Amino acid sequence: MQRALILAAACTAGTATMIVELAAVRLLAPWFGTSLPVWTNVLVVILLGLAVGYALGGRWSRGQAPLQLSALVLAIGAVLAAALPWLAPTVAGLFMPAGATLESARPLLTWGSLAASLMLFLPPAIALGAVAPLWLETLTRAGHPGGSTNGLLACVSTLGSLVGSFACTHWFVPGFGLQATFRIAGAALLVAAGLLAWSERRRVSKGLVLLLAGAAVGAQWLEAEQPAPARGLRVLETRETEYQSARIVEDSGSGYRYLQVNEGFDSFQSVWSAREGPLGEGYYYDLFALPSWWAPPAAGSVRLLVLGAGTASAARVLDGALPAGRVVDATLVELDDQVVELGARWMDAAAPGRRWLAGHDARTALALQSESYDQIIVDAYANQIEIPPHLCSREFFELAAARLVPGGWLVLNVGGFGFEDPVVAAVAATLASACGPRILALRVPAARNVVLLARRDAELPLPGSAEFRPVESAPAELRVLAGRLELPGAWRLLGAEVGPVLTDDHNPIETLQQLALARGRSRLQERAR
Amino acid sequence: MAVAALLLCLCQASDWPLDAWGAAAALPAGLQRERELTEIAYQARDFEASAAHAAAGLQAAPQDLRLLQLACGSALWNTDTSSAGSLLSRWRAALAAATGLDESTRAWWQARVDECSARLDQLAELEQAGARCANRARACVAGWALALLLGLAWCRLREY
């Protein structure tokens, strides 16, 4: 009976460890995002905690009542895990100021997320690591052979971790939200601790566990706070999806609505305006409408494919910015189907004329397309700041170019600090290597974005030429935009020589992204000197 | 009022600033050329170019209120708080020293200076908050590392 209880507790601890580990990144995401350094820091801290816990548990196992102690430690771990959503805003707020810009936040992504992880996740990880040696000692003292018992404990614990991994990602977080996920983990640990304590039949142990149970129940009533939106924005709806924390906010002044995911930074993933068409200064989506004026398709509709469509901002801009008599026939691919649901509810994402491929990876969806398009827009980002490697390789761009009609456009949005930005240079070089020999790079006025354009089997219109200037019947915003893009500092023709060509085999885009942020910051420091 | 009307006129950007840019770039090197290029770049929201041309123009006319305004505005857009701070001080001093401004024009300029100052205060506060957070984070990580090392040393000592 005791052996079965211990094995059940080991399985529960394994499950809870993985839930805490996977949900931990999501818990920090509103402040630090979910980029590779943040993931690394969280994993390092959890592993460090488990290692310290194993060592401590090993020392404590020499005591008289290891099982009793394990129940107590497990109960402490339960309370700490359940309280994490409540503690996170205070702790993360210590290491990330509200309203930080991407440049100012860069050093905090690494140091801040590491410090916050240590404060939040190290204690519960130590508790969850410490129980295994105590259980092994208990079973060994009861006469079970050490080697096979250790193997069995590791086996059930790992199986528990496996269950925790799947349940956390596919069931708990999207189904119940982050707070409930941590509470579920805490409650499961507490039940396991209670059963172990009961099996020991010791008054002191039961008292302690009951005390901690009270604390854990109290933790259920604590409400976690998310970072407040910037001044003038109000939150319309928030959701925990399989991939991210997402929310729709509305600007009370302009009436614009924004999709924000994860971050506390100064950015957004999609924009909605009550009026279809150009969004105005600083919005890169408006550049996506220019190709339709440079070279209108012969047929009545513009066949558009958007990879990383968010809530369909690009399609909405084109809907209201095309030459008379032309309509958008849009296929929209978005990995996160809950983002599409949010968009349908608040941002007219399900308007007629749009075919959604929600829940599909952009590259897979592209490969499965049998149609040809007048324009393919790639606006897919992971972790707010990183273009996924498989969506910026030469092979991917070759595949996209093959899905274009002759004269069709491949258009990319790249976040970057100008044409020399390492990410912009690498993606431009890669695009040119696949669709070149030259591609057109346009720096978005009053924004931190560069839009790259390649064309299949046709000339690119050069800024300053008659072809580049939209005719008078074009929306005024597009004419102003095109005018600004003609200035010498706003555009470049780039070839494969401007940076490293990224391939499926070798694609250091995450490293380049870190380099770009570091370079942006050092440029500011140079100017200050 | 005449200055205000001139500024309003300058703020109305042409649809095709490249034409104006070409004409300005063809001017002989000097203050007028830099002033015009700064205006065009600023209205086209190319703030790196406007900052560079404003800096060149200010070499020739360090007290030019409009150039100081555009230089300060460009620095703020580029989140270059250090340059913006020094330009704002120069702008404020140039306004105080300016002669021949009527009351309403001086008040107009003062309002622009105050706007820039408020924006700069916001940015500087954010930068300082970021620096404080970074220092706190490093201290926290160092503290944990020290605590773990001390714990390890204590355990080793207790072994003997």
Side-chain angles (χ1 to χ4, degrees):
Chain A
M1 178 64 182
Q2 189 184 53
R3 182 168 175 265
L5 270 178
I6 289 176
L7 290 176
C11 185
T12 309
T15 306
T17 303
M18 280 317 289
I19 289 176
V20 169
E21 192 166 329
L22 291 173
V25 178
R26 297 289 296 273
L27 198 60
L28 293 182
W31 292 270
F32 302 103
T34 56
S35 57
L36 198 58
V38 179
W39 265 103
T40 306
N41 284 341
V42 169
L43 291 180
V44 161
V45 167
I46 301 265
L47 290 174
L48 177 67
L50 290 175
V52 172
Y54 295 145
L56 280 176
R59 287 185 67 83
W60 293 339
S61 66
R62 297 171 200 166
Q64 283 194 337
L67 190 60
Q68 183 193 4
L69 186 59
S70 77
L72 179 63
V73 172
L74 206 57
I76 291 171
V79 174
L80 290 172
L84 281 173
W86 176 68
L87 293 170
T90 308
V91 173
L94 288 173
F95 306 115
M96 178 62 79
T101 60
L102 197 57
E103 300 98 280
S104 65
R106 190 210 151 254
L108 299 171
L109 296 184
T110 304
W111 285 102
S113 65
L114 181 58
S117 300
L118 284 166
M119 300 277 285
L120 289 168
F121 310 126
L122 193 64
I126 289 174
L128 291 173
V131 288
L134 296 170
W135 292 330
L136 180 60
E137 180 69 17
T138 304
L139 290 175
T140 311
R141 284 184 196 177
H144 298 285
S148 61
T149 304
N150 193 16
L152 193 59
L153 271 175
C155 172
V156 293
S157 170
T158 306
L159 286 175
S161 297
L162 188 150
V163 171
S165 303
F166 275 107
C168 180
T169 302
H170 298 296
W171 187 22
F172 291 157
V173 173
F176 306 114
L178 265 181
Q179 291 188 51
T181 298
F182 280 103
R183 286 171 184 174
I184 288 167
L189 289 173
L190 207 61
V191 169
L195 288 174
L196 290 174
W198 230 256
S199 76
E200 271 286 272
R201 302 175 205 285
R202 287 178 194 239
R203 196 174 292 271
V204 178
S205 170
K206 285 175 198 167
L208 277 172
V209 169
L210 281 173
L211 189 70
L212 288 163
V217 169
Q220 311 302 306
W221 297 100
L222 297 172
E223 277 299 319
E225 289 174 20
Q226 291 295 300
R231 196 181 303 166
L233 297 179
R234 72 186 177 102
V235 178
L236 298 176
E237 187 175 349
T238 60
R239 279 196 198 181
E240 290 298 331
T241 78
E242 274 187 58
Y243 301 96
Q244 56 211 341
S245 304
R247 70 183 181 191
I248 304 287
V249 296
E250 185 177 68
D251 187 322
S252 49
S254 66
Y256 277 29
R257 291 176 184 167
Y258 302 94
L259 167 71
Q260 294 183 320
V261 299
N262 289 344
E263 69 262 82
F265 308 141
D266 57 340
S267 58
F268 52 84
Q269 267 54 46
S270 286
V271 191
W272 173 91
S273 159
R275 183 179 67 93
E276 290 178 343
L279 291 161
E281 187 171 292
Y283 292 104
Y284 63 84
Y285 302 99
D286 291 1
L287 273 77
F288 298 155
L290 288 172
S292 296
W293 289 93
W294 290 333
S301 65
V302 175
R303 284 158 296 168
L304 174 72
L305 175 66
V306 185
L307 304 173
T311 61
S313 301
R316 192 169 171 77
V317 166
L318 262 76
D319 274 337
L322 287 187
R326 298 214 157 74
V327 291
V328 179
D329 173 10
T331 301
L332 307 172
V333 182
E334 170 55 45
L335 184 61
D336 194 336
D337 51 3
Q338 294 231 31
V339 158
V340 179
E341 279 180 28
L342 276 173
R345 180 150 184 217
W346 297 104
M347 299 166 98
D348 299 323
R354 293 175 191 164
R355 187 166 69 97
W356 276 99
L357 296 173
H360 289 262
D361 176 80
R363 183 147 176 185
T364 316
L366 179 66
L368 293 173
Q369 296 305 302
S370 53
E371 294 176 50
S372 294
Y373 295 91
D374 297 302
Q375 187 173 340
I376 295 176
I377 295 171
V378 184
D379 191 16
Y381 269 78
N383 312 321
Q384 296 88 258
I385 51 173
E386 292 165 356
I387 303 173
H390 68 300
L391 300 183
C392 59
S393 67
R394 186 173 58 206
E395 293 85 345
F396 168 72
F397 292 140
E398 285 168 350
L399 180 64
R403 298 288 182 270
L404 288 171
V405 298
W409 301 84
L410 178 54
V411 188
L412 274 86
N413 165 48
V414 184
F417 301 92
F419 302 117
E420 288 78 32
D421 180 284
V423 171
V424 173
V427 176
T430 307
L431 183 61
S433 78
C435 315
R438 287 279 179 271
I439 58 115
L440 180 60
L442 299 170
R443 203 163 73 179
V444 183
R448 210 169 33 215
N449 299 71
V450 174
V451 168
L452 306 176
L453 298 109
R455 201 169 179 200
R456 182 177 175 185
D457 303 334
E459 291 293 313
L460 290 160
L462 286 185
S465 67
E467 296 79 43
F468 191 83
R469 297 182 172 184
V471 294
E472 277 188 31
S473 58
E477 297 97 325
L478 289 189
R479 284 169 58 83
V480 170
L481 176 63
R484 291 175 171 180
L485 293 170
E486 286 186 338
L487 288 190
W491 65 278
R492 294 275 188 285
L493 277 178
L494 302 175
E497 73 285 352
V498 297
V501 172
L502 309 171
T503 64
D504 284 344
D505 179 54
H506 183 61
N507 193 330
I509 190 73
E510 290 100 343
T511 310
L512 290 169
Q513 189 65 57
Q514 294 302 314
L515 195 63
L517 288 171
R519 190 174 166 277
R521 192 164 177 79
S522 65
R523 259 174 42 162
L524 281 182
Q525 287 163 348
E526 274 169 28
R527 272 196 221 139
R529 279 198 288 273
Chain B
M1 288 306 289
V3 175
L6 173 67
L7 289 174
L8 189 66
C9 178
L10 286 170
C11 287
Q12 288 168 347
S14 141
D15 266 10
W16 308 114
L18 184 63
D19 302 343
W21 181 275
L27 289 172
L31 176 61
Q32 188 58 26
R33 180 178 184 272
E34 298 305 331
R35 280 193 71 147
E36 292 198 15
L37 291 176
T38 305
E39 290 286 356
I40 297 164
Y42 194 89
Q43 299 308 331
R45 303 298 185 254
D46 183 348
F47 298 110
E48 291 210 356
S50 61
H53 288 292
L58 285 168
Q59 302 269 345
Q63 305 287 306
D64 189 304
L65 293 178
R66 178 62 176 163
L67 275 179
L68 283 165
Q69 180 192 16
L70 295 181
C72 195
S74 302
L76 285 175
W77 271 98
N78 294 329
T79 60
D80 180 0
T81 51
S82 173
S83 301
S86 114
L87 286 162
L88 185 67
S89 303
R90 285 173 62 185
W91 188 14
R92 200 173 266 141
L95 180 58
T99 54
L101 295 180
D102 63 40
E103 200 61 27
S104 64
T105 309
R106 186 176 291 280
W108 186 90
W109 277 113
Q110 190 58 52
R112 304 290 81 75
V113 170
D114 292 344
E115 280 170 15
C116 255
S117 178
R119 178 75 189 122
L120 177 61
D121 287 347
Q122 277 180 355
L123 275 178
E125 195 180 318
L126 202 57
E127 268 189 11
Q128 285 162 9
R132 280 197 298 274
C133 284
N135 289 338
R136 200 178 289 140
R138 290 189 184 101
C140 174
V141 173
W144 273 106
L146 188 66
L148 288 174
L149 284 173
L150 286 175
L152 190 67
W154 183 69
C155 288
R156 295 292 300 168
L157 281 175
R158 284 197 50 171
E159 292 281 333
Y160 298 103

